[in-house]
Amino acid sequence: MNRTIFMLVVVAALASAGCSKKELIAQKDAQILDLQEDVAALQAEVAEQKRMNDQLDRELASLQDEKQVWLVEKGSLTQITLDGAAAFATASAELTSDGKEAIDRIWGVVRQYPDRRVLIEGHADNRPISPGYRWKYASNWELSSARAHAVLHYIVNGHNADASRLAAVAYGENEPVADNGTPEGLAQNRRVVITIGTAKAMQDLISRRESETPSLENAGGR
């Protein structure tokens, strides 16, 4: 009798081990499938970004030749810089015809990719606002914010864009890309930067930027 019970226990243990092994294999198979799906999604995202960038490059080719815009790929993000002098008059946040044309070309492509989000950054050189304009812009913070929001509002109102896809932020004179001691450097620092990416890539960028530099304003759809 004891031998019979022992054999039953052994058989039950082996059966249990067999089930556990099958369950482990099934879990591993599910994990592999999930990884394959993640890889496929990432490959599709990369391919879509390349297609979008190729379209943007063609649309903006003449403006890039004229040094009115610059397009740069930064990992999973696409960054387009608008020359401040071409897009806005001195101490003004009103878009010029050249500025509107550049935005029209950009949005004509971006609207084809509804999953992409857009961050608009306003930047200024370090020259103080002249007294005659301080009633409107107390400092470069306000001017750079007004310019970033001018671009945002033009896209929303002029192209009936979904406001939830857009955000605007101002950095004033705090993020120069060139030497403010030269006319060329001043011109480079007066700019609006339009960054395009997926919702996740954009959220990562915004979080990183907010931790690096305090901004005057970060507003979506306003």
Side-chain angles (χ1 to χ4, degrees), residues 43-202:
Q43 290 174 335
E45 183 180 309
V46 170
E48 185 175 68
Q49 182 184 3
K50 183 180 185 307
R51 185 164 60 251
M52 181 185 71
N53 288 343
D54 288 344
Q55 287 179 263
L56 285 168
D57 202 40
R58 288 193 298 271
E59 282 295 321
L60 299 174
S62 61
L63 299 182
Q64 291 186 80
D65 290 341
E66 296 169 5
K67 307 298 183 185
Q68 292 188 21
V69 303
W70 294 265
L71 188 153
V72 178
E73 296 178 39
K74 291 193 171 183
S76 58
L77 299 169
T78 301
Q79 190 177 84
I80 302 170
T81 300
L82 302 181
D83 175 68
F88 299 95
T90 301
S92 170
E94 184 175 347
L95 281 162
T96 64
S97 58
D98 287 341
K100 291 178 181 179
E101 179 186 354
I103 296 168
D104 290 342
R105 294 192 191 189
I106 292 167
W107 196 254
V109 174
V110 176
R111 72 189 310 165
Q112 301 173 41
Y113 300 87
D115 64 320
R116 291 305 196 258
R117 300 294 183 266
V118 177
L119 175 65
I120 304 163
E121 300 177 4
H123 298 269
D125 59 43
N126 69 347
R127 293 180 300 179
I129 301 294
S130 61
Y133 292 99
R134 285 180 193 162
W135 64 274
K136 192 170 187 179
Y137 307 114
S139 71
N140 285 318
W141 284 110
E142 285 77 13
L143 178 58
S144 63
S145 176
R147 287 179 169 178
H149 281 81
V151 174
L152 183 150
H153 288 301
Y154 181 74
I155 294 173
V156 171
N157 298 326
H159 292 274
N160 196 30
D162 180 357
S164 67
R165 297 178 62 186
L166 303 165
V169 62
Y171 289 96
E173 63 196 58
N174 295 290
E175 292 203 349
V177 293
D179 182 6
N180 277 308
T182 67
E184 294 79 13
L186 288 168
Q188 290 181 54
N189 292 330
R190 296 192 302 272
R191 67 198 190 280
V192 170
V193 180
I194 300 174
T195 304
I196 307 158
T198 62
K200 182 182 183 307
M202 196 60 63

Side-chain angles (χ1 to χ4, degrees), residues 23-38:
E23 290 173 357
L24 183 60
I25 292 173
Q27 290 175 0
K28 294 297 182 184
D29 287 344
Q31 290 174 353
I32 291 171
L33 182 60
D34 288 343
L35 288 172
Q36 289 174 336
E37 290 176 350
D38 289 344

